[in-house]
Amino acid sequence: MTKVVQPLFAFFGTPLFAVRVLDALEAQDLLPALVITAPDKPRGRGMALTPSPVTVWARARGIDVITPQTLKDDAFVAELQNTQWEVFVVAAYGKLIPKNILNIPRRECLNVHPSLLPRFRGPSPALSAILADERSTGVSIMQMTEKKDAGPVVAQARVEIEEDAWPPKGSVLEDLLATEGGNLLAEVMPEWVVGKITPEPQDANKATYTKKFIDADAQIDPDDDARQNFLKIQAFDKNPRAYFIEPGNPSTVLRARRVIITEAEYKDKKLEILKVIPEGKKEIDFKIYRASHGDTPSP
């Protein structure tokens, strides 16, 4: 069997999603020669500068890492231009990549996107699929253009979750799609760099769009549909996390508090909350929480 020659490529990515893509590439003996990721950020109670997950992954393998504050820096662009790259790979980098960088590699840039484009363009396709209750989803490898997620599709793979496993947690679906995306990229990248694949333009008329979710999006409203609330609880299992507000009590000067929902079930068209994390406390069984809070309203 002829061994596939590894393309010379650089990788742009930042969070755990990008690490899953890199893991899948590594399993196929495809490693980037350079990683571009976000600068270290203050995290935790001590606000210590912490490297991105991709930085940690790359340094553990002795791969050079660049963490530019901006992609418009002339010195950074010049450094990229010093190598005869065949392709750049982008997976959840977090910044729009300008045309002058997209055009540096001989075969330009490929993006790993966790949806079946043109469905769910934008920053949160996996979570949006859960919220839309779309059990059939997938991943796309797209040739990047200046317009976000609008480039022609190089390859796609459909992923359909078993009915009894749907909806999964948001982080679980993101990990699954990242791995599938990395596997698909590993298949097509060698053929892409030698010009054996012709990308297919997207049908812009069928495009749907996602947004970057904020804390308010994860709040559970007891008046909402039980199924929709369950989908939100499953989708928002990390940053943001699904929660409801425990009302305050003026007679005891008790302020309103947030209660994070960590586990729930949906049966017979009813939502049952199983575990929660009250503000400032550890995770407990929801029945114990309710017993200790009397008739506190909840979803």
Side-chain angles (χ1 to χ4, degrees), residues 9-16 18-23 25-26 30-38 40 51-67:
F9 71 100
F11 183 91
F12 291 69
T14 298
L16 189 58
V19 170
R20 297 289 181 255
V21 173
L22 286 165
D23 285 339
L25 292 175
E26 183 180 33
L30 292 170
L31 287 174
L34 176 68
V35 160
I36 298 92
T37 186
D40 296 359
S52 75
V54 164
T55 295
V56 174
W57 186 94
R59 287 176 178 166
R61 290 156 179 80
I63 297 172
D64 289 339
V65 177
I66 303 178
T67 58

Side-chain angles (χ1 to χ4, degrees), residues 41-50:
K41 292 184 178 180
R43 291 184 175 88
R45 291 186 178 180
M47 298 300 286
L49 282 177
T50 305

Side-chain angles (χ1 to χ4, degrees), residues 42 50 58-59 64 78 90 93 96 156 158 173 176 192 201 230 253 255 257 278 291:
T50 305
R59 287 176 178 166
D64 289 339
V90 181
Y93 176 57
L96 287 174
Q156 289 186 323
R158 185 173 295 275
L173 183 58
L176 172 63
W192 172 257
F230 180 60
V253 199
R255 66 179 178 85
R257 295 186 179 184

Side-chain angles (χ1 to χ4, degrees), residues 70-175:
T70 172
L71 298 183
K72 296 180 180 180
D73 180 74
D74 291 340
F76 167 68
V77 175
E79 185 170 358
L80 290 180
Q81 291 172 333
N82 282 336
T83 300
Q84 298 299 310
W85 301 105
E86 292 180 280
V87 66
F88 287 163
V89 171
V90 181
Y93 176 57
K95 294 180 180 180
L96 287 174
I97 299 178
K99 185 176 181 180
N100 65 324
I101 292 179
L102 294 177
N103 291 340
I104 289 175
R106 180 176 61 84
R107 292 290 287 157
E108 300 185 355
C109 298
L110 297 179
N111 174 249
V112 180
H113 188 80
S115 81
L116 296 174
L117 291 168
R119 291 285 292 167
F120 299 126
R121 293 179 180 179
S124 55
L127 303 191
S128 296
I130 294 175
L131 294 174
D133 215 357
E134 290 199 14
R135 185 160 59 90
S136 181
T137 181
V139 293
S140 302
I141 308 300
M142 173 193 69
Q143 183 181 10
M144 295 184 69
T145 62
E146 285 187 281
K147 188 174 181 181
K148 189 173 180 62
D149 298 334
V153 173
V154 173
Q156 289 186 323
R158 185 173 295 275
V159 175
E160 188 157 340
I161 312 297
E162 294 294 331
E163 189 171 0
D164 60 358
W166 180 265
K169 295 285 189 180
S171 59
V172 172
L173 183 58
E174 286 184 335
D175 282 355

